[in-house]
Amino acid sequence: MSHYDVAVIGAGAAGLAAGLELQKQGKSFIVLEARNRIGGRAYTDTATLGLPVDCGGHWLHSADQNPFVRIADRLGFAYNSNINFDGDHTVLFGKDGPLPDAEQAELGLYFRQVMADILAAGKAGQDVAFSDVMEPHNRWNPMVRMIIGQITSLDPELCSTLDAARYHYDGGDYPVENGYGALVARNAAGLPVTLSTPVTRIDWSGPAVRLETQRGTLTASRIILAVPVNVLAAGSIRFDPALPPGLMEAVHDCPMGVSEKFFMLLDRPVEGYGHVYGDVIFADPAKQPFNLHLNPFGRPLVVCHFGGSQGGELERLSDAAMMDVGLEAITEALGAGMRKRVVRTLRTHWASDPFTLGGYSHAGPGRAASRLKFTETVADRIILAGEHCSIPSFSTIHGAHLSGITAAEKAMGLL
């Protein structure tokens, strides 16, 4: 039976960063990944549409402090520092086309006010739901709910203001031209990873941790548990003895919501638009607002983003039904002629992927303190890593990356 100083479970951004740090320090280690690829939720698909599309994370968030900006520069990955995740290049559509400038400005003002109130409540120590600071009957609430669902992957009733206020934002949000997932994978080139090897049981009752996989059993002095928090909540890995109740409570207090994408490859780019938000809520109250990202990097592509409970409903649709939703959205905004211009499509299924089971984490109202539990080592043998472990950068690829480095340092310090 093979024995290692450290076993890393999961080869997403956190597990890869941990492995690279262990490799650099000359420790004996193994990185085990359930999928047949690395990257986890950082994944760029280049084959399906013939273009690089990020099925998961796409934005270099908090660019001034994001280490992947420097990594991108070193590896020659281009990114756009002129398009930020701040509402620029956004157009709102109603039943009869773009809404008047005054209405678009009204939504922008209300959204900024809601976000400011969320952060002010959190900074004042209030651990309440986002929805508590929203105006109950504001006409723009459907749009704001949609945007919050895409930012957090959860509905505003399920998000803690205190958790949000602890997130540290510094700099812009830059999309990566040829894929954030591709950047993460390139950065880990040369790191040995054992693929298609899900861990089914972890026995930490003895002096060494015993890991059972579909390819056999191994032991390690320490393990880094770099799997998504919803996978832990689902009990996909059996622990003997069970993980501490306080840790498992934190796992359920900081769930991952839903964050999905639907891509439509067109015959040519859409003329005249950049990033487009489509809002048809006033044309038909039964319809939910939708988000279309047009022409990323000038490519003939439309990306529909869906988050929160709305995203959950759409993720469960059949491919044909999802296609109908996408076509309705694009024709509502840009005309019936768009229907004939769709060449191929691609959709994500993070919420039902057994190795992910969701988008990214956010603490529930009254539960912000639970995230602190993820930074604690279990019995000096089990160290957690992942975006859910990063208090200032949760929900991000760079947060996961930095948590992996920290976990490796902890593991080496305990050897």
Side-chain angles (χ1 to χ4, degrees), residues 286-322:
K287 294 181 181 178
Q288 297 198 59
F290 57 87
N291 166 235
L292 301 175
H293 185 187
L294 304 181
N295 308 332
F297 294 96
R299 292 166 176 150
L301 194 66
V302 177
V303 187
C304 304
H305 298 262
F306 301 104
S309 59
Q310 178 192 12
E313 293 169 4
L314 294 170
E315 194 268 344
R316 290 188 291 271
L317 293 178
S318 67
D319 287 349
M322 187 66 238

Side-chain angles (χ1 to χ4, degrees), residues 215-282:
R215 295 190 177 189
T217 301
L218 59 96
T219 62
S221 299
R222 304 290 181 269
I223 68 167
I224 295 174
L225 194 58
V227 299
V229 68
N230 278 14
V231 173
L232 294 177
S236 302
I237 302 173
R238 175 184 169 189
F239 289 86
D240 290 318
L243 290 174
L247 176 58
M248 289 309 298
E249 182 179 2
V251 163
H252 291 282
D253 287 346
C254 301
M256 295 155 55
V258 175
S259 180
E260 304 290 347
K261 297 179 183 178
F262 179 62
F263 302 89
M264 292 184 282
L265 178 69
L266 305 178
D267 57 354
R268 63 187 184 278
V270 178
E271 299 83 357
Y273 292 106
H275 195 100
V276 175
Y277 274 105
D279 179 17
V280 296
I281 192 67
F282 306 117

Side-chain angles (χ1 to χ4, degrees), residues 115 118-123 126-128 130 151-152 159-169 362-364 368 371 391-392 394:
M115 297 307 296
I118 287 169
L119 297 181
K123 290 176 181 178
Q126 299 176 33
D127 193 354
V128 299
F130 283 15
I151 293 173
T152 68
C159 296
S160 159
T161 54
L162 182 55
D163 197 40
R166 288 174 174 166
Y167 180 93
H168 183 67
Y169 179 80
H362 203 293
R371 196 181 292 279
I391 294 169
F394 63 88

Side-chain angles (χ1 to χ4, degrees), residues 93-217:
F93 285 83
K95 181 179 179 181
D96 301 314
L99 296 180
D101 291 346
E103 292 195 64
Q104 303 206 37
E106 183 182 318
L107 168 62
L109 180 63
Y110 177 58
F111 174 71
R112 288 190 291 272
Q113 184 61 56
V114 168
M115 297 307 296
D117 290 345
I118 287 169
L119 297 181
K123 290 176 181 178
Q126 299 176 33
D127 193 354
V128 299
F130 283 15
S131 53
D132 288 358
V133 306
M134 295 170 63
E135 298 173 9
H137 305 294
N138 192 289
R139 64 182 296 209
W140 297 109
N141 277 340
M143 276 293 291
V144 171
R145 291 179 63 85
M146 180 196 74
I147 299 170
I148 287 174
Q150 292 172 16
I151 293 173
T152 68
S153 81
L154 291 157
D155 292 344
E157 291 80 8
L158 302 177
C159 296
S160 159
T161 54
L162 182 55
D163 197 40
R166 288 174 174 166
Y167 180 93
H168 183 67
Y169 179 80
D170 189 11
D173 301 288
Y174 305 157
V176 183
E177 182 172 4
N178 289 320
Y180 203 160
L183 172 61
V184 171
R186 177 77 66 81
N187 184 56
L191 178 71
V193 178
T194 304
L195 299 173
S196 303
T197 308
V199 174
T200 56
R201 179 173 177 262
I202 297 174
D203 182 349
W204 54 289
S205 61
V209 183
R210 181 185 176 98
L211 294 88
E212 296 180 4
T213 79
Q214 295 178 357
R215 295 190 177 189
T217 301

